[in-house]
Amino acid sequence: MEKLLHLNAQFCARLDEIGHWIALLLIRLLLAWEFGSAGFKKYHGNNWFANVQDNFPFPFNVVPVEISWFLATWAEILGAFGLALGLFTRFWAFSLVILSIVAIAGVHWPDDWNSLAELWKGYAVSNKGFGNYRIPLLFIAMLIPLVLSGAGRLSVDHFLARRLHNS
């Protein structure tokens, strides 16, 4: 039994070491793809924020729609590059959490719900009248570890931190 526990500890130690390099990289790359795609769609598309501006929480609902569109577009594009490179990861992850919260409130939250059961129907990918906040909520859940832990070892942030620490 002791031998089995020792093998398990060795195996977990190796997984931990790999995880420091790979785990957050995979999350960063997936989120970079998703936010980058959304940002470039906005960049090449028409501003539809005027249709939902009233749903945005304060203070986002008082910002002119052109500025909101510009900020959302460039936060997604620049944030995607930042996440992919692991550059200023905590800043970009936190910014994209705020953007996702505004997106849930302004676009994805159900217009009307009377019970938690009805609200739960909005945890969906398609909108059938109950909202569709599932994907931005999952993005927030994936961004939180990046806010709290940073980019991981395979990142520009880690490289810069090592350079500054050795200087």
Side-chain angles (χ1 to χ4, degrees):
M1 182 66 159
E2 190 174 319
K3 177 108 170 138
L4 186 60
L5 290 174
H6 180 69
L7 285 173
N8 182 56
Q10 284 181 320
F11 179 71
C12 289
R14 292 199 196 281
L15 287 178
D16 287 344
E17 188 60 32
I18 293 168
H20 291 305
W21 290 93
I22 302 297
L24 295 175
L25 172 67
L26 297 176
I27 292 172
R28 288 187 358 245
L29 292 177
L30 179 62
L31 288 168
W33 175 263
E34 292 296 333
F35 281 105
S37 296
F40 281 111
K41 283 180 187 171
K42 285 180 183 67
Y43 183 76
H44 295 293
N46 295 323
N47 185 345
W48 47 266
F49 276 14
N51 301 334
V52 294
Q53 183 81 10
D54 293 341
N55 296 342
F56 289 174
F58 180 82
F60 303 100
N61 62 348
V62 295
V63 176
V65 292
E66 296 79 19
I67 293 173
S68 291
W69 185 263
F70 177 84
L71 292 174
T73 300
W74 285 102
E76 288 175 336
I77 292 171
L78 295 175
F81 282 111
L83 291 179
L85 295 172
L87 180 62
F88 307 124
T89 304
R90 289 179 177 194
F91 168 79
W92 287 117
F94 183 76
S95 299
L96 293 170
V97 165
I98 300 301
L99 186 104
S100 297
I101 290 169
V102 174
I104 288 172
V107 180
H108 301 285
W109 198 252
D111 291 332
D112 186 35
W113 55 279
N114 297 314
S115 68
L116 290 177
E118 283 185 12
L119 179 61
W120 184 248
K121 290 180 183 178
Y123 185 74
V125 175
S126 63
N127 188 0
K128 295 182 180 175
F130 296 103
N132 59 348
Y133 56 86
R134 181 180 191 166
I135 291 175
L137 185 61
L138 290 172
F139 289 168
I140 292 169
M142 294 168 68
L143 288 163
I144 295 297
L146 298 175
V147 171
L148 298 176
S149 299
R153 289 188 185 160
L154 201 54
S155 67
V156 174
D157 288 343
H158 182 72
F159 173 78
L160 292 175
R162 287 187 57 172
R163 288 285 291 216
L164 291 173
H165 181 30
N166 291 336
S167 297

